[in-house]
Coordinates of all heavy atoms in Angstrom, one line a residue:
M1 N 113.9 86.9 111.9 CA 112.9 87.6 111.0 C 111.9 88.5 111.7 O 111.7 89.6 111.3 CB 112.1 86.4 110.2 CG 111.1 86.9 109.3 SD 111.7 87.8 108.0 CE 110.4 88.2 107.0
K2 N 111.4 87.9 112.8 CA 110.5 88.6 113.6 C 111.1 89.9 114.2 O 110.5 91.0 114.3 CB 109.9 87.7 114.7 CG 108.6 88.1 115.1 CD 108.1 86.9 116.1 CE 106.6 87.1 116.3 NZ 106.1 86.2 117.3
E3 N 112.3 89.8 114.7 CA 113.0 91.0 115.3 C 113.2 92.0 114.2 O 113.1 93.2 114.5 CB 114.4 90.5 115.8 CG 114.2 89.6 117.1 CD 114.0 88.3 116.7 OE1 114.1 87.7 115.6 OE2 113.4 87.5 117.7
M4 N 113.5 91.6 113.0 CA 113.7 92.5 111.9 C 112.4 93.3 111.6 O 112.4 94.5 111.4 CB 114.2 91.9 110.7 CG 114.4 92.7 109.6 SD 115.6 93.9 109.9 CE 116.7 93.6 108.5
L5 N 111.3 92.6 111.7 CA 110.0 93.2 111.4 C 109.6 94.2 112.5 O 109.1 95.3 112.3 CB 108.8 92.2 111.3 CG 108.8 91.4 109.9 CD1 107.8 90.4 109.9 CD2 108.6 92.4 108.8
Y6 N 109.9 93.8 113.8 CA 109.7 94.8 114.9 C 110.6 96.0 114.7 O 110.1 97.1 114.9 CB 110.1 94.2 116.2 CG 109.1 93.1 116.7 CD1 109.5 91.9 117.1 CD2 107.6 93.4 116.6 CE1 108.5 91.0 117.6 CE2 106.8 92.5 117.1 CZ 107.2 91.2 117.5 OH 106.3 90.4 118.1
F7 N 111.8 95.8 114.3 CA 112.6 97.1 114.0 C 112.2 97.9 112.9 O 112.1 99.1 113.1 CB 114.1 96.5 113.8 CG 115.1 97.6 113.5 CD1 115.6 98.4 114.4 CD2 115.5 97.7 112.1 CE1 116.4 99.4 114.2 CE2 116.5 98.8 111.8 CZ 116.9 99.6 112.8
L8 N 111.8 97.3 111.8 CA 111.2 98.0 110.6 C 109.9 98.7 111.1 O 109.6 99.9 110.6 CB 110.9 97.1 109.5 CG 112.1 96.6 108.8 CD1 111.7 95.5 107.7 CD2 112.9 97.7 108.3
F9 N 109.1 98.1 111.9 CA 107.9 98.7 112.5 C 108.2 100.1 113.2 O 107.6 101.0 113.0 CB 107.1 97.8 113.4 CG 105.9 98.4 114.0 CD1 104.7 98.6 113.2 CD2 105.9 98.9 115.3 CE1 103.7 99.1 113.9 CE2 104.9 99.5 116.0 CZ 103.8 99.5 115.2
V10 N 109.2 100.0 114.2 CA 109.6 101.2 114.9 C 110.1 102.2 113.9 O 109.8 103.5 114.1 CB 110.6 100.8 115.9 CG1 111.2 102.0 116.5 CG2 110.0 99.9 117.0
I11 N 111.0 101.9 112.9 CA 111.6 102.9 112.0 C 110.5 103.5 111.2 O 110.5 104.6 111.1 CB 112.6 102.3 111.2 CG1 113.8 101.7 111.9 CG2 113.1 103.1 110.0 CD1 114.5 102.7 112.7
A12 N 109.5 102.6 110.7 CA 108.5 103.2 109.8 C 107.6 104.1 110.6 O 107.2 105.2 110.1 CB 107.6 102.1 109.3
S13 N 107.3 103.8 111.9 CA 106.5 104.6 112.8 C 107.1 106.0 113.1 O 106.5 107.0 113.0 CB 106.1 103.9 114.0 OG 105.4 102.7 113.8
I14 N 108.4 105.9 113.3 CA 109.2 107.2 113.6 C 109.3 108.0 112.3 O 109.1 109.2 112.3 CB 110.6 106.8 114.2 CG1 110.5 106.2 115.6 CG2 111.5 108.1 114.1 CD1 111.8 105.8 116.1
T15 N 109.5 107.3 111.1 CA 109.5 108.1 109.9 C 108.2 108.9 109.7 O 108.2 109.9 109.3 CB 109.8 107.2 108.7 OG1 111.0 106.4 109.0 CG2 109.9 107.8 107.4
F16 N 107.1 108.1 110.0 CA 105.7 108.8 109.9 C 105.6 110.0 110.7 O 105.2 111.0 110.2 CB 104.6 107.8 110.0 CG 103.3 108.4 109.9 CD1 102.8 109.0 108.7 CD2 102.5 108.3 111.0 CE1 101.5 109.4 108.6 CE2 101.2 108.9 111.0 CZ 100.8 109.6 109.8
I17 N 106.0 109.9 111.9 CA 105.8 110.9 112.9 C 106.7 112.0 112.5 O 106.3 113.2 112.6 CB 106.2 110.4 114.4 CG1 105.1 109.4 114.8 CG2 106.4 111.6 115.3 CD1 105.5 108.7 116.0
V18 N 108.0 111.8 112.1 CA 108.8 113.0 111.7 C 108.2 113.6 110.4 O 108.3 114.9 110.2 CB 110.3 112.3 111.4 CG1 111.1 113.4 110.7 CG2 110.9 111.9 112.6
A19 N 107.8 112.8 109.5 CA 107.2 113.4 108.2 C 105.9 114.3 108.5 O 105.7 115.4 107.8 CB 106.7 112.2 107.2
I20 N 105.2 114.0 109.7 CA 104.1 114.8 110.0 C 104.7 116.0 110.7 O 104.2 117.2 110.5 CB 103.2 114.2 111.0 CG1 102.4 113.0 110.2 CG2 102.2 115.1 111.6 CD1 101.5 112.2 111.1
Y21 N 105.8 116.0 111.5 CA 106.3 117.0 112.2 C 107.0 118.1 111.3 O 106.9 119.3 111.6 CB 107.3 116.5 113.3 CG 107.9 117.6 114.2 CD1 107.1 118.2 115.2 CD2 109.2 118.0 114.0 CE1 107.7 119.2 115.9 CE2 109.7 119.0 114.8 CZ 108.9 119.6 115.8 OH 109.5 120.6 116.6
I22 N 107.6 117.6 110.2 CA 108.5 118.4 109.3 C 107.7 119.7 108.8 O 108.3 120.8 108.8 CB 109.1 117.6 108.3 CG1 110.3 116.9 109.1 CG2 109.8 118.5 107.3 CD1 111.0 116.0 108.1
P23 N 106.6 119.7 108.2 CA 105.7 118.7 107.5 C 106.1 118.4 106.2 O 106.4 119.3 105.3 CB 104.3 119.3 107.7 CG 104.7 120.8 107.5 CD 106.0 121.0 108.1
N24 N 106.1 117.1 105.8 CA 106.3 116.6 104.5 C 105.2 115.6 104.1 O 105.2 114.5 104.5 CB 107.6 115.9 104.5 CG 108.0 115.5 103.0 OD1 107.2 115.3 102.2 ND2 109.3 115.4 102.8
Q25 N 104.2 116.1 103.4 CA 102.9 115.4 103.1 C 103.2 114.1 102.2 O 102.7 113.0 102.4 CB 101.9 116.3 102.4 CG 100.5 115.6 102.3 CD 99.9 115.4 103.6 OE1 100.0 116.1 104.6 NE2 99.4 114.1 103.8
V26 N 104.2 114.2 101.4 CA 104.5 113.0 100.4 C 105.1 111.9 101.2 O 104.7 110.8 101.3 CB 105.4 113.5 99.3 CG1 105.9 112.3 98.5 CG2 104.7 114.5 98.3
A27 N 106.0 112.3 102.0 CA 106.7 111.3 103.0 C 105.7 110.7 103.9 O 105.7 109.5 104.3 CB 107.9 111.9 103.8
A28 N 104.8 111.6 104.5 CA 103.8 111.2 105.4 C 102.7 110.0 104.7 O 102.5 109.0 105.3 CB 103.0 112.2 106.0
N29 N 102.3 110.5 103.5 CA 101.4 109.6 102.8 C 102.1 108.2 102.4 O 101.6 107.1 102.4 CB 100.9 110.1 101.5 CG 100.0 111.3 101.8 OD1 99.5 111.4 102.8 ND2 99.8 112.1 100.7
I30 N 103.5 108.3 102.1 CA 104.1 107.0 101.8 C 104.4 106.2 103.0 O 104.2 104.9 103.0 CB 105.5 107.4 101.0 CG1 105.2 107.9 99.7 CG2 106.4 106.1 101.0 CD1 106.4 108.4 98.9
S31 N 104.7 106.8 104.1 CA 105.2 106.0 105.3 C 104.0 105.6 106.2 O 104.2 104.8 107.0 CB 106.2 106.9 106.1 OG 105.6 108.0 106.6
K32 N 102.8 106.2 105.9 CA 101.6 105.9 106.8 C 101.3 104.4 106.8 O 101.0 103.8 107.8 CB 100.5 106.9 106.6 CG 99.4 106.7 107.6 CD 98.3 107.7 107.3 CE 97.2 107.5 108.5 NZ 96.2 108.5 108.4
P33 N 101.1 103.9 105.6 CA 100.6 102.5 105.7 C 101.6 101.4 106.0 O 101.2 100.3 106.3 CB 100.2 102.2 104.1 CG 100.8 103.3 103.4 CD 101.1 104.5 104.3
I34 N 102.8 101.7 106.0 CA 103.9 100.7 106.2 C 103.8 100.1 107.7 O 103.8 98.9 107.7 CB 105.3 101.4 106.0 CG1 105.4 101.7 104.5 CG2 106.5 100.4 106.4 CD1 106.7 102.5 104.1
P35 N 103.7 100.8 108.7 CA 103.5 100.2 110.0 C 102.3 99.2 110.0 O 102.4 98.0 110.6 CB 103.3 101.3 111.0 CG 103.9 102.5 110.4 CD 103.7 102.2 109.0
L36 N 101.2 99.5 109.5 CA 100.1 98.6 109.4 C 100.4 97.3 108.6 O 100.0 96.3 109.1 CB 98.9 99.3 108.8 CG 97.8 99.9 109.8 CD1 96.7 100.6 109.1 CD2 97.3 98.8 110.8
L37 N 101.1 97.5 107.5 CA 101.4 96.2 106.8 C 102.3 95.4 107.6 O 102.2 94.1 107.5 CB 102.3 96.8 105.5 CG 101.5 97.1 104.2 CD1 102.4 97.6 103.2 CD2 100.8 95.9 103.7
I38 N 103.3 96.0 108.4 CA 104.1 95.1 109.2 C 103.3 94.4 110.2 O 103.6 93.2 110.6 CB 105.3 95.9 109.7 CG1 106.1 96.5 108.6 CG2 106.1 95.1 110.8 CD1 107.2 97.5 109.0
L39 N 102.4 95.1 110.8 CA 101.5 94.5 111.8 C 100.7 93.2 111.3 O 100.6 92.2 111.8 CB 100.5 95.5 112.4 CG 101.1 96.5 113.5 CD1 100.0 97.4 114.0 CD2 101.6 95.7 114.6
I40 N 100.3 93.5 110.0 CA 99.5 92.4 109.5 C 100.4 91.2 109.2 O 99.9 90.1 109.5 CB 98.9 92.9 108.1 CG1 97.9 93.9 108.3 CG2 98.3 91.8 107.2 CD1 97.3 94.7 107.1
F41 N 101.6 91.4 108.8 CA 102.6 90.2 108.6 C 103.0 89.7 109.9 O 103.2 88.4 110.0 CB 103.8 90.7 107.9 CG 103.6 90.9 106.4 CD1 103.7 92.1 105.8 CD2 103.4 89.9 105.7 CE1 103.6 92.3 104.5 CE2 103.2 89.9 104.2 CZ 103.3 91.1 103.7
L42 N 103.0 90.4 111.0 CA 103.4 89.9 112.3 C 102.2 89.1 113.0 O 102.5 88.4 113.9 CB 103.8 91.0 113.3 CG 105.2 91.6 113.1 CD1 105.4 92.8 113.9 CD2 106.2 90.6 113.3
L43 N 101.0 89.4 112.6 CA 99.9 88.8 113.3 C 99.8 87.2 113.0 O 100.2 86.8 111.9 CB 98.6 89.4 112.7 CG 97.3 89.0 113.4 CD1 97.3 89.3 114.7 CD2 96.1 89.5 112.6
K44 N 99.6 86.6 114.1 CA 99.5 85.0 113.9 C 98.0 84.8 113.5 O 97.1 85.0 114.5 CB 99.8 84.4 115.1 CG 101.3 84.5 115.6 CD 101.5 83.7 116.9 CE 103.1 84.0 117.2 NZ 103.4 83.4 118.4
W45 N 97.7 84.3 112.3 CA 96.4 84.1 111.7 C 96.0 82.7 112.2 O 95.6 81.9 111.3 CB 96.5 84.2 110.3 CG 96.7 85.6 109.8 CD1 98.0 86.3 109.9 CD2 95.9 86.7 109.4 NE1 97.8 87.5 109.3 CE2 96.5 87.7 109.1 CE3 94.4 86.6 109.2 CZ2 96.0 89.0 108.7 CZ3 93.9 87.7 108.8 CH2 94.6 88.9 108.4
E46 N 95.9 82.4 113.4 CA 95.6 80.9 113.8 C 94.3 80.7 114.7 O 94.0 79.6 114.8 CB 96.8 80.4 114.7 CG 97.2 81.2 115.8 CD 98.5 80.8 116.5 OE1 99.4 80.3 115.7 OE2 98.7 81.1 117.6
N47 N 93.7 81.8 115.1 CA 92.4 81.6 115.8 C 91.4 82.7 115.4 O 91.9 83.7 114.8 CB 92.7 81.7 117.3 CG 93.3 83.0 117.8 OD1 92.8 84.2 117.4 ND2 94.4 82.9 118.6
P48 N 90.2 82.5 115.7 CA 89.2 83.5 115.1 C 89.4 84.9 115.6 O 89.1 85.9 114.9 CB 87.9 82.9 115.7 CG 88.1 81.5 115.9 CD 89.6 81.3 116.3
Y49 N 89.8 85.1 116.8 CA 90.1 86.5 117.3 C 91.1 87.1 116.4 O 91.0 88.3 115.9 CB 90.5 86.5 118.8 CG 90.9 87.7 119.3 CD1 89.9 88.7 119.8 CD2 92.2 88.1 119.5 CE1 90.2 89.9 120.3 CE2 92.6 89.4 119.9 CZ 91.5 90.2 120.4 OH 91.8 91.5 120.9
N50 N 92.2 86.5 116.2 CA 93.3 87.2 115.4 C 92.9 87.4 113.9 O 93.3 88.3 113.4 CB 94.6 86.2 115.5 CG 95.3 86.4 116.8 OD1 94.9 87.1 117.8 ND2 96.4 85.6 117.0
I51 N 92.1 86.4 113.4 CA 91.6 86.6 112.0 C 90.8 87.8 112.0 O 90.9 88.6 111.0 CB 90.9 85.3 111.6 CG1 91.9 84.1 111.4 CG2 90.2 85.6 110.2 CD1 91.2 82.7 111.2
L52 N 89.9 88.0 112.9 CA 89.0 89.2 112.9 C 89.8 90.5 113.0 O 89.6 91.4 112.4 CB 87.9 89.1 114.0 CG 86.8 88.1 113.7 CD1 86.0 87.9 115.0 CD2 85.9 88.4 112.5
I53 N 90.7 90.4 113.9 CA 91.6 91.6 114.1 C 92.5 91.9 112.9 O 92.6 93.0 112.4 CB 92.5 91.5 115.3 CG1 91.8 91.4 116.6 CG2 93.8 92.5 115.3 CD1 91.1 92.7 117.0
G54 N 92.9 90.8 112.3 CA 93.7 91.0 111.0 C 92.8 91.5 109.9 O 93.3 92.3 109.2
C55 N 91.6 91.1 109.7 CA 90.7 91.7 108.8 C 90.5 93.1 109.0 O 90.4 94.0 108.1 CB 89.4 90.9 108.7 SG 89.6 89.2 108.0
G56 N 90.4 93.5 110.3 CA 90.2 94.8 110.7 C 91.4 95.7 110.2 O 91.3 96.9 109.8
L57 N 92.6 95.1 110.5 CA 93.9 95.9 110.1 C 94.0 96.1 108.6 O 94.3 97.2 108.1 CB 95.1 95.0 110.6 CG 95.4 95.1 112.1 CD1 96.5 94.0 112.4 CD2 95.7 96.5 112.6
I58 N 93.4 95.0 107.8 CA 93.5 95.1 106.4 C 92.6 96.3 105.9 O 92.9 97.1 105.1 CB 93.1 93.9 105.7 CG1 94.3 92.8 105.9 CG2 92.9 93.9 104.2 CD1 94.0 91.4 105.5
F59 N 91.3 96.3 106.6 CA 90.4 97.3 106.1 C 90.9 98.7 106.6 O 90.7 99.8 106.0 CB 89.0 97.1 106.6 CG 88.2 96.1 105.6 CD1 88.2 94.7 105.8 CD2 87.7 96.6 104.5 CE1 87.7 93.9 105.0 CE2 87.0 95.7 103.7 CZ 87.0 94.4 103.9
S60 N 91.6 98.8 107.7 CA 92.1 100.1 108.2 C 93.3 100.5 107.3 O 93.3 101.7 107.0 CB 92.8 99.8 109.6 OG 91.7 99.7 110.5
L61 N 94.1 99.6 106.8 CA 95.1 99.9 105.8 C 94.5 100.5 104.6 O 94.9 101.6 104.0 CB 95.9 98.7 105.5 CG 96.9 98.8 104.4 CD1 98.0 99.8 104.8 CD2 97.5 97.5 104.2
A62 N 93.4 99.8 104.1 CA 92.7 100.3 102.9 C 92.1 101.7 103.1 O 92.2 102.5 102.2 CB 91.5 99.3 102.5
G63 N 91.6 101.9 104.4 CA 91.0 103.2 104.7 C 92.1 104.3 104.7 O 91.9 105.3 104.1
D64 N 93.2 103.9 105.2 CA 94.3 104.9 105.1 C 94.8 105.2 103.7 O 94.9 106.5 103.4 CB 95.5 104.4 105.9 CG 95.4 104.5 107.4 OD1 94.6 105.3 107.9 OD2 96.2 103.8 108.2
V65 N 94.9 104.3 103.0 CA 95.3 104.5 101.5 C 94.4 105.3 100.8 O 94.6 106.3 100.1 CB 95.7 103.1 100.8 CG1 95.9 103.4 99.4 CG2 96.9 102.6 101.5
L66 N 93.0 104.9 101.0 CA 92.0 105.6 100.3 C 91.8 107.0 100.6 O 91.5 107.9 99.8 CB 90.6 104.8 100.4 CG 90.5 103.5 99.7 CD1 89.3 102.7 100.1 CD2 90.6 103.5 98.2
L67 N 92.0 107.4 101.9 CA 91.8 108.6 102.4 C 92.9 109.6 101.9 O 92.8 110.8 102.3 CB 91.7 108.7 104.0 CG 90.3 108.2 104.5 CD1 90.2 108.2 106.0 CD2 89.1 109.1 103.9
E68 N 94.0 109.1 101.3 CA 95.0 110.0 100.8 C 94.5 110.8 99.6 O 95.1 111.8 99.3 CB 96.2 109.2 100.5 CG 96.9 108.7 101.6 CD 98.2 107.8 101.4 OE1 98.6 107.8 100.1 OE2 98.7 107.2 102.3
S69 N 93.5 110.3 98.9 CA 92.8 111.0 97.8 C 91.6 111.5 98.3 O 90.7 110.8 98.8 CB 92.7 110.1 96.7 OG 91.9 110.7 95.6
F70 N 91.3 112.8 98.0 CA 89.9 113.4 98.5 C 88.8 112.8 97.7 O 87.7 112.6 98.2 CB 90.0 114.8 98.2 CG 88.8 115.6 98.7 CD1 88.5 115.8 100.0 CD2 87.8 116.1 97.8 CE1 87.3 116.4 100.5 CE2 86.6 116.6 98.2 CZ 86.4 116.8 99.6
R71 N 89.1 112.3 96.5 CA 88.0 111.7 95.7 C 87.6 110.4 96.2 O 86.5 109.9 95.9 CB 88.5 111.6 94.2 CG 88.6 112.9 93.4 CD 89.1 112.7 92.1 NE 90.5 112.2 92.1 CZ 91.0 111.2 91.3 NH1 90.1 110.4 90.6 NH2 92.2 110.7 91.4
L72 N 88.4 109.8 97.0 CA 88.1 108.4 97.5 C 87.8 108.6 99.0 O 87.9 107.6 99.8 CB 89.3 107.5 97.3 CG 89.6 107.3 95.9 CD1 90.8 106.4 95.7 CD2 88.4 106.5 95.1
F73 N 87.2 109.7 99.5 CA 86.9 109.9 100.9 C 85.8 109.0 101.4 O 86.0 108.3 102.4 CB 86.4 111.4 101.2 CG 86.1 111.8 102.5 CD1 87.2 112.0 103.5 CD2 84.9 111.9 103.0 CE1 86.9 112.3 104.8 CE2 84.6 112.1 104.3 CZ 85.7 112.4 105.2
V74 N 84.7 108.9 100.7 CA 83.7 108.0 101.0 C 84.1 106.5 101.1 O 83.8 105.9 102.1 CB 82.3 108.3 100.3 CG1 81.3 107.2 100.6 CG2 81.9 109.6 100.5
P75 N 84.7 106.0 100.0 CA 85.2 104.6 100.1 C 86.2 104.5 101.4 O 86.2 103.3 101.9 CB 85.9 104.4 98.9 CG 85.2 105.3 97.9 CD 85.0 106.5 98.7
G76 N 87.0 105.4 101.6 CA 87.9 105.4 102.8 C 87.1 105.2 104.2 O 87.5 104.5 104.9
L77 N 86.1 106.0 104.2 CA 85.2 106.0 105.4 C 84.5 104.5 105.6 O 84.4 104.1 106.7 CB 84.2 107.0 105.4 CG 84.6 108.5 105.7 CD1 83.5 109.4 105.5 CD2 85.2 108.5 107.1
V78 N 84.1 104.0 104.5 CA 83.4 102.8 104.5 C 84.4 101.7 104.8 O 84.1 100.8 105.6 CB 82.8 102.4 103.0 CG1 82.4 101.0 103.0 CG2 81.7 103.4 102.8
A79 N 85.6 101.8 104.4 CA 86.8 100.8 104.9 C 87.0 100.9 106.2 O 87.0 99.9 107.0 CB 88.0 101.1 104.0
F80 N 87.0 102.1 106.9 CA 87.1 102.2 108.3 C 85.9 101.7 109.1 O 86.1 101.1 110.1 CB 87.5 103.6 108.7 CG 88.9 104.1 108.5 CD1 89.2 105.0 107.7 CD2 89.9 103.4 109.3 CE1 90.6 105.5 107.6 CE2 91.2 103.7 109.1 CZ 91.6 104.8 108.3
L81 N 84.7 101.9 108.5 CA 83.5 101.3 109.1 C 83.6 99.8 109.2 O 83.4 99.2 110.2 CB 82.3 101.8 108.4 CG 81.0 101.2 108.9 CD1 80.7 101.6 110.2 CD2 79.9 101.5 107.9
V82 N 84.0 99.3 108.1 CA 84.1 97.7 108.1 C 85.3 97.3 109.0 O 85.0 96.3 109.7 CB 84.4 97.3 106.6 CG1 84.7 95.8 106.5 CG2 83.2 97.6 105.6
A83 N 86.3 98.0 109.1 CA 87.4 97.7 110.0 C 86.8 97.7 111.4 O 87.1 96.7 112.2 CB 88.5 98.6 109.9
H84 N 86.0 98.7 111.8 CA 85.6 98.7 113.1 C 84.6 97.7 113.4 O 84.4 97.2 114.6 CB 85.0 100.1 113.5 CG 86.1 101.2 113.7 ND1 86.8 101.8 112.8 CD2 86.7 101.6 114.9 CE1 87.7 102.6 113.2 NE2 87.7 102.5 114.5
V85 N 83.8 97.3 112.4 CA 82.8 96.1 112.6 C 83.7 94.8 112.9 O 83.3 94.1 113.8 CB 82.0 95.9 111.3 CG1 81.2 94.6 111.4 CG2 81.0 97.1 111.2
F86 N 84.8 94.6 112.2 CA 85.7 93.5 112.5 C 86.3 93.6 113.9 O 86.3 92.6 114.7 CB 86.8 93.3 111.5 CG 86.4 92.6 110.2 CD1 86.4 93.3 109.0 CD2 86.1 91.3 110.2 CE1 86.0 92.7 107.8 CE2 85.7 90.7 109.1 CZ 85.6 91.3 107.8
Y87 N 86.8 94.8 114.3 CA 87.3 95.0 115.7 C 86.3 94.6 116.7 O 86.4 94.0 117.7 CB 87.9 96.3 115.9 CG 89.0 96.6 114.9 CD1 89.1 98.0 114.4 CD2 90.0 95.9 114.8 CE1 90.2 98.3 113.6 CE2 91.2 96.1 113.9 CZ 91.2 97.4 113.3 OH 92.3 97.7 112.6
L88 N 85.0 95.2 116.5 CA 83.9 95.0 117.4 C 83.6 93.5 117.5 O 83.3 93.0 118.7 CB 82.8 95.8 117.1 CG 81.5 95.9 118.0 CD1 81.9 96.4 119.3 CD2 80.3 96.6 117.3
S89 N 83.5 92.8 116.4 CA 83.2 91.3 116.4 C 84.3 90.6 117.1 O 84.0 89.7 117.8 CB 83.1 90.9 115.0 OG 82.1 91.5 114.2
A90 N 85.5 91.0 117.0 CA 86.7 90.3 117.7 C 86.5 90.5 119.2 O 86.5 89.5 120.0 CB 88.0 90.8 117.1
F91 N 86.2 91.7 119.6 CA 86.1 92.0 121.0 C 84.8 91.3 121.7 O 85.0 90.8 122.8 CB 86.2 93.4 121.3 CG 87.4 94.1 120.8 CD1 87.3 95.4 120.3 CD2 88.6 93.5 120.9 CE1 88.5 96.0 119.8 CE2 89.8 94.2 120.4 CZ 89.7 95.4 119.9
I92 N 83.8 91.3 121.0 CA 82.6 90.6 121.4 C 82.8 89.2 121.6 O 82.5 88.4 122.5 CB 81.3 90.9 120.6 CG1 81.0 92.4 120.8 CG2 80.2 90.0 120.8 CD1 79.8 92.9 119.8
K93 N 83.5 88.6 120.5 CA 83.8 87.1 120.4 C 84.7 86.8 121.7 O 84.7 85.7 122.3 CB 84.4 86.7 119.2 CG 84.6 85.3 118.9 CD 85.0 85.0 117.5 CE 84.3 83.9 116.8 NZ 83.0 83.7 116.6
K94 N 85.7 87.6 122.0 CA 86.6 87.4 123.0 C 86.1 87.4 124.4 O 86.5 86.8 125.3 CB 87.8 88.4 122.9 CG 89.0 88.2 123.7 CD 89.9 87.2 123.2 CE 91.2 87.2 123.9 NZ 92.1 86.2 123.3
S95 N 85.1 88.3 124.6 CA 84.5 88.4 125.9 C 83.4 87.4 126.3 O 83.0 86.6 125.5 CB 83.9 89.9 126.1 OG 83.0 90.1 125.2

């Protein structure tokens, strides 16, 4: 199962890069959140550091999805801000 998720992560990441290179905005918008979703599923939610990183990934995913619409630009920025607060909290807690 884990190997399959790693494989899907690589395929989804390559798909996103190709969609940007072509350029195909629809394919890029669809494929952009998929690698983050896979990372969220792969994360082991068993200690405070991983939980904070996972929450950061969730808010980063929300920011990516929200920023696809210009009308949701500010909520997308707020989601990224919250994500970075979670990342910073995780790194401070780790050190």
Side-chain angles (χ1 to χ4, degrees):
M1 176 69 175
K2 211 173 191 183
E3 292 80 18
M4 180 62 121
L5 285 175
Y6 286 130
F7 177 73
L8 289 175
F9 175 79
V10 170
I11 296 300
S13 299
I14 291 170
T15 302
F16 175 63
I17 292 168
V18 169
I20 290 174
Y21 182 75
I22 290 179
N24 185 336
Q25 191 62 40
V26 173
N29 287 347
I30 292 170
S31 63
K32 186 173 185 179
I34 295 172
L36 265 177
L37 272 173
I38 295 169
L39 283 179
I40 291 167
F41 282 113
L42 283 171
L43 186 66
K44 295 179 181 177
W45 296 77
E46 56 193 26
N47 60 51
Y49 176 79
N50 285 0
I51 291 170
L52 289 170
I53 293 295
C55 290
L57 289 173
I58 290 170
F59 277 95
S60 291
L61 175 65
D64 280 341
V65 171
L66 291 170
L67 286 179
E68 289 178 10
S69 169
F70 184 73
R71 291 179 292 131
L72 299 173
F73 183 77
V74 173
L77 286 180
V78 171
F80 278 118
L81 173 66
V82 173
H84 283 81
V85 169
F86 277 114
Y87 295 141
L88 185 61
S89 300
F91 297 145
I92 289 173
K93 188 174 222 59
K94 187 81 168 180
S95 61

